[in-house]
Structure formats: C-alpha cells, structure tokens
C-alpha cells in the first residue's frame, strides 16, 4: 500500500536486478520498469512508446532485499492506492538483461543467458519507439505496448535465430538505430522456475500446465495471431 512518503519494500529474499510495478486501485498508463543495470530513477513505461525518463521519486535505490521508493504517484502514492511489485534477478538459464548501443546495421549482441532465449523484449531508451518482442520466431515480432498481432519483418531479428551466446538485431529503428541506446530483457524456460510456451484458445476453460508444484507467481499472456 502506498504511503505518500519515502518507503522501502523488503522481504524479497534476494537483491533484485529488475523491479516492475503496477497500480491496482488507480489509473495509470502502464506497468513501469526500473532496473539496476540502467540505474535507479530511470523509468520505462510498458504501456507507451516513451523513451526512458528520469523520475527522481520512483525507485531511489536497489537494495540487498528489495528497493527503496520515493513519492512518485506510479510507484508509491498516498495510502488510498494499492500497488503490485514484481522482482527479478539475473539468473543464468532463466533471466538476463543487457544494455547496448545501436549501430544501424544488423549485428549480434552477446547476452550471457548461457541458453537460447525464448523471449526477448527490447526497448529504445533514447527515443519514443514501440517495445519489440521476440517470441521464438526469428521472422516475426510482437509489440508489447499495443494490441497488434505478430507481424513478419526481417528488420527486427534479421531472420536469424538467437543462440546460447548471442541474439541478432536488424535495422528497425526500435531495435537498432545508430548511436541510440537500448535495453533487452531475455527469458528462457527452466523446470520449476520459468516456463515459456504457447497454446491454442478454445472459447472455454482449460488448464495450461507450466510444471510448477505451487502455481505461477507471474503470468504474461499475449495473443499472437489476432489483435
């Protein structure tokens, strides 16, 4: 629950590398991302194309067991607002994050995940650009911040599948414009910790087995063949 004053979120159980927040009881433009690699107070809004913004009263520091928050409305508004916080840490084989500078020409970026990434989310930090998502098909891309279905475009991933050490970006502005800065979040499946996959809807109820003994803590779903 928001305090309207400086606050610290603890009890995470590890030093987080990525902090994602959402407002549960008040409107906002989107789920907000901040991470240790880009530095505290550097915010990205997953609901918009906005470039990285300096928000002094958002996450003010990343700590050994959570994060410290300022008084920004999207992170810690008054006590009438409720928030949900998700924390991730870099973990080989599951989650990795890199920052890179675009060149304008297709090239590879080393990622350190040590396995082939199944989902890659890329955001231009320097300019207003849509969030680009690789979801297992090197010829297509999805957009995180719109309702668009998957689209075929070789300028995103250069029609080149990622490997256990690198992924490829093409010439699209929102993944690789010359001299502009980017951040990429990479995910892969690991039994009992993270599951990435697909299923077909049936207009009824169905159970999607992710292999977790106690259920999932975070679920992200996107239709890829329809808006």
């Amino acid at each position: 629950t928001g305090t309207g004053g400086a606050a610290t979120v603890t009890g995470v159980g590890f030093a987080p590398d990525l902090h994602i927040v959402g407002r549960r009881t008040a409107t906002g433009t989107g789920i907000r991302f901040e991470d240790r690699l880009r530095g505290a107070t550097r915010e990205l809004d997953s609901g918009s194309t906005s470039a990285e913004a300096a928000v002094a009263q958002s996450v003010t520091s990343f700590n050994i067991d959570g994060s410290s928050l300022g008084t920004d409305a999207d992170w810690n508004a008054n006590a009438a607002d409720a928030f949900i916080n998700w924390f991730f840490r870099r973990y080989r084989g599951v989650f990795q994050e890199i920052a890179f500078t675009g060149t304008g020409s297709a090239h590879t970026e080393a990622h350190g995940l040590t396995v082939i990434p199944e989902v890659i989310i890329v955001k231009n930090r320097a300019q207003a650009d849509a969030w680009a998502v690789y979801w297992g098909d090197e010829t297509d891309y999805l957009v995180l911040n719109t309702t668009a279905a998957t689209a075929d475009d070789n300028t995103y991933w250069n029609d080149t599948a990622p490997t256990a050490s690198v992924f490829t970006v093409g010439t699209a502005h929102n993944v690789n414009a010359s001299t502009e800065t980017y951040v990429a979040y990479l995910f892969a499946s690991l039994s009992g910790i993270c599951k990435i996959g697909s299923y077909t809807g049936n207009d009824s109820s169905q159970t999607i087995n992710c292999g977790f003994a106690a259920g999932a803590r975070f679920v992200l779903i996107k239709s890829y063949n329809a808006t």
Side-chain angles (χ1 to χ4, degrees):
T1 301
T3 66
T8 301
V9 181
T10 60
V12 176
F14 55 85
D17 292 306
L18 171 63
H19 185 167
I20 303 175
V21 71
R23 298 177 74 175
R24 301 174 58 197
T25 52
T27 58
T29 54
I31 305 297
R32 308 302 173 109
F33 283 56
E34 292 205 16
D35 50 78
R36 189 184 298 271
L37 180 64
R38 293 183 297 116
T41 76
R42 310 303 298 183
E43 179 183 279
L44 288 169
D45 181 355
S46 69
S48 80
T49 62
S50 298
E52 179 181 275
V55 182
Q57 294 298 314
S58 54
V59 175
T60 55
S61 68
F62 288 90
N63 306 327
I64 196 68
D65 188 37
S67 299
S68 294
L69 305 176
T71 57
D72 183 77
D74 288 306
W75 292 85
N76 182 30
N78 64 58
D81 288 349
F83 296 83
I84 178 71
N85 297 270
W86 296 282
F87 294 93
F88 296 80
R89 69 175 170 131
R90 295 185 191 182
Y91 193 90
R92 288 187 176 182
V94 178
F95 170 63
Q96 184 58 277
E97 176 193 0
I98 70 162
F100 65 95
T101 300
T103 65
S105 301
H107 69 277
T108 60
E109 289 287 344
H111 57 67
L113 189 62
T114 71
V115 299
I116 297 173
E118 296 167 75
V119 166
I120 305 171
I121 302 172
V122 178
K123 180 67 178 77
N124 187 339
R125 301 167 59 190
Q127 298 288 336
D129 262 328
W131 294 66
V133 181
Y134 168 86
W135 58 279
D137 183 345
E138 64 271 16
T139 68
D140 287 5
Y141 72 97
L142 280 166
V143 180
L144 185 68
N145 56 285
T146 76
T147 63
T150 190
D152 179 68
D153 191 332
N154 64 9
T155 67
Y156 278 74
W157 320 117
N158 204 41
D159 284 358
T160 304
T163 72
S165 58
V166 301
F167 68 95
T168 301
V169 288
T171 58
H173 194 277
N174 51 346
V175 296
N176 185 27
S178 178
T179 72
E180 295 187 6
T181 53
Y182 295 82
V183 63
Y185 306 101
L186 302 91
F187 298 88
S189 297
L190 183 63
S191 180
I193 295 177
C194 180
K195 175 64 177 176
I196 297 163
S198 63
Y199 63 93
T200 301
N202 63 4
D203 280 335
S204 184
S205 61
Q206 61 173 311
T207 298
I208 311 302
N209 185 3
C210 295
F212 300 127
R217 302 285 296 275
F218 174 79
V219 181
L220 177 65
I221 299 173
K222 177 74 171 75
S223 173
Y224 64 84
N225 68 343
T227 55

